[in-house]
Amino acid sequence: MTKTRVIEIEPITRVEGHGKVTIHLDDHNNVREARLHVVEFRGFERFICGRPYWEVPVIVQRLCGICPVSHHLTASKAMDMIVGAKKLTPTAEKIRRLMHYGQIMQSHVLHFFHLSSPDLLFGFDSDPESRNVFGVIEKMPELAVQGVMMRKFGQEIIKATAGKKIHGTGAVPGGVNKNLSIAERDVFLRDIGQMKTWALGALDIAKKYTFDNLAAVQAFAVFNSSHLSLVREDGALDLYHGNLRALDAGGNLIFDQVDYRRFNEYLMEEVKPWSYMKFPFIKSRGHIDGWYRVGPLARMNTCGFIDTPEAGKALVEFKNLTRGAPNHMSLAYHWARMIETLHCVENIETLLNDPDLQGTDLMVKGERAGEGIGVIEAPRGTLFHHYKVDANDQVTFCNLIVSTTNNNEAMNRAVKQVAQDHISGKPKITEGMLNHVEVAVRAYDPCLSCATHAIGKMPLAIEMYDADGNLVDRNSQYI
Amino acid sequence: MKKKRISTISLAGCFGCHMSLLDIDERILELVKLVEFDRSPVNDLKRFKARCDIGFIEGGCCNEENVHTLRKFRRNCDVLVAVGQCAVMGGLPVMRNAIMHSKDPLRECLETAYLNSPYVYNPTNDIPNDPALPLILDKVYTCAEVVKMDYQIPGCPPSGDILWQAINALLNGKPSDLPSEVIKFD
């Protein structure tokens, strides 16, 4: 019987939410197992039941303060179905899109500048004391200010459309509750040129990083996987609405143009005993091989083209790196993320110049339905909301697959591969080695806050302790 | 003036309060002149390096780890501030403490997520049970139910402006009067 030594990286820092990594070593310091654990519990899918349906878009945001708009809009899309709003008014759809692009912009910028750039700028092994956003402020103040101001722009767009920067209330079942005034619009038009310049600059940084470190990028947490996202009917990237497309590792279609309201026919989630986060898979490929990746990298792989000029050109360059085959490099997520940021800025500019934003026709209604499904491309990937509502307007069923959950298996593979490459067999384990593992997790920009929505698993003999550590209840009926 | 040392943590929260802190935008350049950060999710210090003047707590306590972390903060910070609705009153996670018509809300949350969903593949019907996962508390607790808190900043989340005002008040040792319209859930 060999002993295992377990290293814990806890908490994972510079990600959103609460998680930890355990690395299991044998007698020879070889990595036997490495896992990413999500360690929190909410129970949202149960406690939302009984609430009136129109509360859901506001409540569900509180799963996540980083991408609240994604939950807000996805729940609103599901509730559009409940109130029978088959097609939103042009003003409502465009206001929602503006909110969504502002959100993806701020989230991607936050991840790139505030959370990940210290690794990319200073090195994975650099001094942990200054390997953070404050170090960037100190050493590269101009770049740090750009990040801060780009995020601010995105947050201000959210505030103008949703009423608040975090946990707003702008989208409602069947539409939106306000348009964008000329005065509000003009503030953004004043700065949009600057944003585009900065977005192009950020894209260059990410691209240059990839090419300057190509050998490392092509060797760091690279593994074949399927990729999934929404795409428009013509195959273009569309972050707000579309149909589901999935590719296998070789780039062949697994399915295409699937109406997202049928997602349950194609996807399922597996439960594993060591994480609160479930493991989604494509049913037709089974629970072992059916896992896939989502998010910026997956979207660059699945979409045929991008319809905004600058981001469109950037995508061609991105695809050229792998000669059109799917890109499987975890670190390429950063480049993909900056292409999307540019795409959002270009879309925001187009929308700001659209007079529909000042329209006054905000809401539609139709025949009430009992079931609503909303799907969106959130910053971190495809987000699924599914609800049932009874005749009393109360929610009776809720199931969510949050973006980060889709990447669960991929992140675990990334963690294991990097641990084996950088830690296995080493006599002494340094902070820098462990940070390599975190860099692999960070590439996916996981939102572990979101991923905690439905978790809460305990030992088979369930013991409940109060805050003072006294045992208050024990039952083992779950076995 | 010597820089004040501050630390931040998110317990059972959504990170929205930390995001709101970043909503002070360009004032972050002023902030780094006034304070230095000890452990916080935004840097890589996972344990306290030194005693802190102020600790900011986001979120309440839903598992044993939250309780341990909060107690560590209490021991290591002169002043402890509950930031946002979850830390002050439990916020959204506290909804699991009492579910309408349910005698055993926690069990129902578990069964809904893992055992009863038609969309879950769970052939063994097991619930995750790894020792790496911290034990869940019988209910969600507010910070003040676990340790003594010195101040609270309400809001879901409190805006960047309010946080900036509060931080400056704390640094200068002068209490700040919050306008009544911000003292509410939303």
Side-chain angles (χ1 to χ4, degrees), chain A residues 18 41-42 164 269 456-457, chain B residues 11 13 96 110 114 121 186:
Chain A
H18 320 78
F41 163 81
R42 295 274 190 279
K164 278 172 82 187
E269 294 182 279
K457 304 302 139 243
Chain B
L11 304 172
R96 82 155 156 98
L110 298 171
Y114 287 88
Y121 173 77
D186 201 20

Side-chain angles (χ1 to χ4, degrees), chain A residues 201-223:
Chain A
L203 172 64
D204 272 337
I205 295 171
K207 187 170 73 187
K208 190 172 175 312
Y209 178 83
T210 309
F211 284 110
D212 288 354
N213 300 279
L214 198 54
V217 172
Q218 287 173 327
F220 187 88
V222 179
F223 40 82

Side-chain angles (χ1 to χ4, degrees), chain A residues 220-402:
Chain A
F220 187 88
V222 179
F223 40 82
N224 283 348
S225 75
S226 305
H227 296 271
L228 176 136
S229 81
L230 294 176
V231 292
R232 208 164 67 186
E233 275 169 11
D234 57 2
L237 176 75
D238 189 334
L239 298 165
Y240 177 75
H241 199 63
N243 298 317
L244 290 163
R245 171 182 286 179
L247 304 176
D248 68 14
N252 309 300
L253 289 169
I254 300 172
F255 52 76
D256 192 21
Q257 299 299 342
V258 168
D259 184 332
Y260 69 59
R261 289 170 297 186
R262 295 170 54 211
F263 81 92
N264 281 316
E265 295 168 35
Y266 291 83
L267 302 177
M268 209 164 189
E269 294 182 279
E270 183 179 7
V271 176
K272 291 191 183 179
W274 45 265
S275 183
Y276 287 154
M277 201 160 43
K278 295 179 221 177
F279 291 79
F281 60 93
I282 295 167
K283 278 188 192 181
S284 64
R285 299 171 71 85
H287 68 102
I288 299 190
D289 300 321
W291 63 281
Y292 52 89
R293 279 189 268 194
V294 299
L297 179 72
R299 291 189 286 249
M300 295 304 110
N301 288 328
T302 51
C303 78
F305 65 100
I306 296 179
D307 66 353
T308 58
E310 293 297 336
K313 278 190 281 191
L315 176 70
V316 171
E317 230 178 325
F318 184 90
K319 285 185 182 275
N320 282 345
L321 178 67
T322 52
R323 298 192 183 83
N327 183 321
H328 293 298
M329 308 163 204
S330 294
L331 286 177
Y333 264 94
H334 296 295
W335 184 5
R337 212 168 269 123
M338 289 303 104
I339 295 174
E340 289 189 341
T341 304
L342 180 59
H343 174 63
C344 288
V345 173
E346 290 184 291
N347 273 327
I348 289 169
E349 182 171 38
T350 307
L351 281 168
L352 289 174
N353 288 304
D354 188 330
D356 277 345
L357 289 188
Q358 284 77 49
T360 50
D361 192 3
L362 306 179
M363 301 272 291
V364 283
K365 246 178 31 189
E367 199 184 334
R368 259 293 302 273
E371 187 169 20
I373 291 173
V375 179
I376 210 167
E377 282 299 327
R380 291 152 191 79
T382 320
L383 170 64
F384 302 85
H385 281 214
H386 180 190
Y387 305 94
K388 289 178 184 157
V389 177
D390 67 12
N392 297 328
D393 291 351
Q394 288 176 297
V395 174
T396 57
F397 168 88
C398 160
N399 185 39
L400 313 174
I401 305 178
V402 299

Side-chain angles (χ1 to χ4, degrees), chain A residues 8 103 120 131 138 167 175 184 241 265 272 325 333 355 378 417 458:
Chain A
E8 283 196 354
Q103 146 85 4
L120 309 180
R131 198 178 56 213
E138 195 185 338
H167 303 331
E184 286 169 327
H241 199 63
E265 295 168 35
K272 291 191 183 179
Y333 264 94
Q417 199 184 92
M458 293 184 251

